[in-house]
Amino acid sequence: MIPGLGGKLPRSLIDLLWRDHPEAPTGGTRGPRARVSTGDVVDAAIRLADAHGLPAVTIRRLAEALEVSTMSIYTHVNSRDDLLVLMADATHGRMERSRFGRLGWRGRVQRVAESNLALLQAHPWLHEIDDDRTALGPGTIAKYDHELAALAPLDLAPVTCDAALTFLLDFVRASARALRPNPRSGELAQHWPEWSLRLETYLGEDFPLARTVGAAAGAAMGAAHSPSMAWDFGLARVLDALAALAPPRA
Amino acid sequence: MIPGLGGKLPRSLIDLLWRDHPEAPTGGTRGPRARVSTGDVVDAAIRLADAHGLPAVTIRRLAEALEVSTMSIYTHVNSRDDLLVLMADATHGRMERSRFGRLGWRGRVQRVAESNLALLQAHPWLHEIDDDRTALGPGTIAKYDHELAALAPLDLAPVTCDAALTFLLDFVRASARALRPNPRSGELAQHWPEWSLRLETYLGEDFPLARTVGAAAGAAMGAAHSPSMAWDFGLARVLDALAALAPPRA
DNA sequence: TATAACGCCGTACGTTGTACGACGTACATA
DNA sequence: TATGTACGTCGTACAACGTACGGCGTTATA
């Protein structure tokens, strides 16, 4: 390496994800001691997101919360995108993972579904993070391992087991998304009296099915509507679907 | 209304969504003829998104594409958020909706699934639009009506029918999301040789299941992996699940 | 002919992520 | 003990974003 040019290479996302692992590179010991750690940054970001949503997680606000300058954040995290991955993996890692004990496969599946729902309700901003690299983190891998174990009694081929888990979790994610209180619901409710009238006019005689079911309006208005019903319905369907795969009795 | 103060109220999103309906307010006829219409703006935005992704849809670029000034865009669209709703509804409206004919319910369900998959593959940016107000648009309602009709042979109660459709479409959305080529896959593939080694080190003896199934690494690397298998698996499971609901023979 | 409604646009503000380079500190080596 | 190098910190600056505001000119209506 050419001396005089500061050797720049930052710790890669992988190493940041596994920063608590004994084999992870610690970084040299010179220079002033770091006033905050990567973990501190991630924790503060999670607190911000929990309290005010993901858009509130800006580098500047983070720095303010940690009482450091804006640019210091980049010493501990390579970019905002990377930070989001670290946040998601950290919350995955903190999920409760209790033993399944003697629970049958249905009970296990239900438990996996419910704990994922709880996760997404506790941290709704997870919906807005869509980065495959999250799968590289220790928290996400531990979660994956645990949930695969839940499906073990079904005795499926590995790939099928993975597919089944994906199927289950995709359902949970979608339901959780629908269940989530919409930030725009206030505005919608405010304009609803006016808008529903217009909609009535526009719909006219068309779309008989849509009108009958009424979900177009219902969903839009945030009325009682289905999302919580969709959860029960969907979970029952997932169980049905897996049952069709399972050994006769388990 | 107080004269001298320009009466400001802009056409609301509802009216913009239904701009082609005969009952929709046309806006006064004074002033210079508009050089572009709301429809033009929406179309240009869709073209931009198709070509370069949703982040490329900025007001400035839109204006440039339409050869108008930046701020003129706001004459035809109230905000960027509204524009996204208009874009989503327009593409919903343009979906092909062929008759189901004598197709059985399985064939219908499959067709609905496939056409939604095709939609999301043709316009991947739809994944990034998450706004309930889309449900108020004519395209979205027409789509909804058509897809409810597909499920009619199942002879379900209205709410159940809605729930079943939601279940199906949520599956399709999640699968389409996984199927979508990740923009970050390039970077990931580039660093993969290095990262996979580290990951190997970190994993050590832990997470036996995750290692066996190998999907953690597989998914991350963008290898062949499951998404296309997940589609087949999932669709079969959805059909199983609905079959458990359906009348014995249909 | 006067008025009011309307489309168009230039300017400007606040906010974002982050590149760059300077500065000082603390350890490693000579 | 003296020197060099690695490292944390931070101020400044830039490009890009959405969009509020207000002025201007055009056109149909009163």
Side-chain angles (χ1 to χ4, degrees):
Chain A
M1 178 161 310
I2 301 133
L5 262 81
K8 262 278 155 206
L9 67 157
R11 282 191 290 174
S12 70
L13 178 60
I14 287 263
D15 295 331
L16 254 29
L17 280 165
W18 292 83
R19 61 193 179 277
D20 290 334
H21 192 280
E23 305 266 10
T26 61
T29 60
R30 311 195 205 197
R33 280 209 341 285
R35 295 176 35 199
V36 301
S37 68
T38 299
D40 291 338
V41 173
V42 174
D43 289 346
I46 291 174
R47 275 194 299 273
L48 266 177
D50 283 344
H52 304 106
L54 204 55
V57 179
T58 70
I59 306 293
R60 281 171 239 262
R61 265 193 277 265
L62 215 41
E64 193 181 12
L66 290 167
E67 299 183 287
V68 203
S69 84
T70 302
M71 291 309 292
S72 283
I73 298 296
Y74 288 100
T75 306
H76 309 287
V77 142
N78 295 323
S79 68
R80 185 172 186 275
D81 281 359
D82 278 18
L83 174 61
L84 299 186
V85 173
L86 294 171
M87 291 168 67
D89 188 68
T91 65
H92 289 164
R94 286 165 197 167
M95 280 181 80
E96 189 196 349
R97 277 187 274 281
S98 52
R99 298 264 154 256
F100 293 108
R102 305 216 170 281
L103 229 54
W105 69 264
R106 285 171 205 271
R108 290 169 175 233
V109 166
Q110 182 142 355
R111 190 128 111 206
V112 169
E114 278 161 4
S115 63
N116 274 275
L117 176 62
L119 173 77
L120 288 165
Q121 287 183 324
H123 310 290
W125 45 267
L126 283 171
H127 283 294
E128 298 165 57
I129 300 182
D130 175 31
D131 193 315
D132 291 344
R133 295 175 304 165
T134 305
L136 301 173
T140 307
I141 291 180
K143 173 179 187 290
Y144 179 58
D145 194 77
H146 180 255
E147 289 166 348
L148 280 178
L151 299 189
L154 282 171
D155 205 26
L156 304 168
V159 233
T160 311
C161 198
D162 175 68
L165 181 56
T166 300
F167 186 68
L168 171 62
L169 293 186
D170 281 350
F171 156 72
V172 173
R173 283 183 76 93
S175 294
R177 184 170 217 126
L179 240 12
R180 157 186 64 158
N182 194 308
R184 234 182 292 274
S185 68
E187 181 211 5
L188 224 162
Q190 186 186 352
H191 296 190
W192 187 242
E194 177 199 349
W195 287 14
S196 65
L197 282 182
R198 306 252 181 161
L199 198 53
E200 204 68 23
T201 306
Y202 290 141
L203 281 174
E205 306 293 327
D206 303 330
F207 312 117
L209 284 172
R211 288 182 65 99
T212 311
V213 177
M221 201 181 64
H225 184 53
S226 28
S228 78
M229 225 209 60
W231 169 261
D232 295 330
F233 176 88
L235 187 50
R237 295 293 75 71
V238 170
L239 289 171
D240 280 359
L242 295 183
L245 239 64
R249 280 301 117 210
Chain B
M1 178 163 309
I2 301 136
L5 260 83
K8 262 278 156 205
L9 66 156
R11 282 192 290 174
S12 70
L13 178 60
I14 288 261
D15 295 330
L16 255 30
L17 280 165
W18 291 84
R19 62 193 179 278
D20 289 335
H21 192 279
E23 305 266 12
T26 61
T29 60
R30 312 196 206 201
R33 280 204 347 280
R35 295 177 31 199
V36 301
S37 68
T38 299
D40 292 337
V41 172
V42 174
D43 289 347
I46 291 174
R47 273 194 301 273
L48 266 176
D50 283 344
H52 306 106
L54 204 55
V57 178
T58 71
I59 305 293
R60 281 172 238 261
R61 265 193 275 264
L62 215 42
E64 194 181 9
L66 291 166
E67 299 183 285
V68 205
S69 86
T70 302
M71 290 310 291
S72 284
I73 298 295
Y74 288 101
T75 306
H76 309 287
V77 143
N78 295 321
S79 69
R80 185 173 186 275
D81 281 358
D82 278 19
L83 174 61
L84 299 186
V85 173
L86 295 171
M87 291 168 66
D89 189 68
T91 66
H92 288 164
R94 287 165 196 169
M95 282 181 79
E96 188 196 350
R97 277 186 274 281
S98 52
R99 298 264 153 256
F100 292 108
R102 304 216 169 280
L103 230 54
W105 69 264
R106 285 171 205 271
R108 290 169 174 232
V109 166
Q110 183 143 354
R111 191 129 112 205
V112 168
E114 279 162 4
S115 63
N116 274 274
L117 176 61
L119 173 77
L120 288 165
Q121 287 183 324
H123 310 290
W125 44 267
L126 283 171
H127 284 292
E128 297 165 59
I129 300 182
D130 175 32
D131 193 315
D132 290 344
R133 297 174 303 165
T134 306
L136 302 173
T140 308
I141 291 181
K143 174 178 186 291
Y144 178 58
D145 194 76
H146 179 253
E147 289 166 349
L148 280 178
L151 298 190
L154 281 171
D155 205 26
L156 304 168
V159 235
T160 311
C161 198
D162 176 68
L165 181 56
T166 300
F167 185 69
L168 171 63
L169 293 186
D170 282 348
F171 156 72
V172 173
R173 283 183 74 94
S175 294
R177 185 170 217 124
L179 240 12
R180 158 186 64 159
N182 194 309
R184 235 180 292 273
S185 68
E187 182 212 2
L188 223 162
Q190 186 186 353
H191 297 207
W192 186 243
E194 178 198 348
W195 287 15
S196 66
L197 282 182
R198 306 252 182 159
L199 198 53
E200 204 68 24
T201 306
Y202 290 141
L203 281 174
E205 307 292 327
D206 303 329
F207 312 116
L209 283 173
R211 287 184 65 98
T212 311
V213 177
M221 201 181 63
H225 184 52
S226 28
S228 78
M229 227 209 60
W231 169 260
D232 294 330
F233 177 88
L235 187 50
R237 296 293 77 68
V238 170
L239 289 171
D240 281 358
L242 295 184
L245 238 65
R249 280 301 118 211

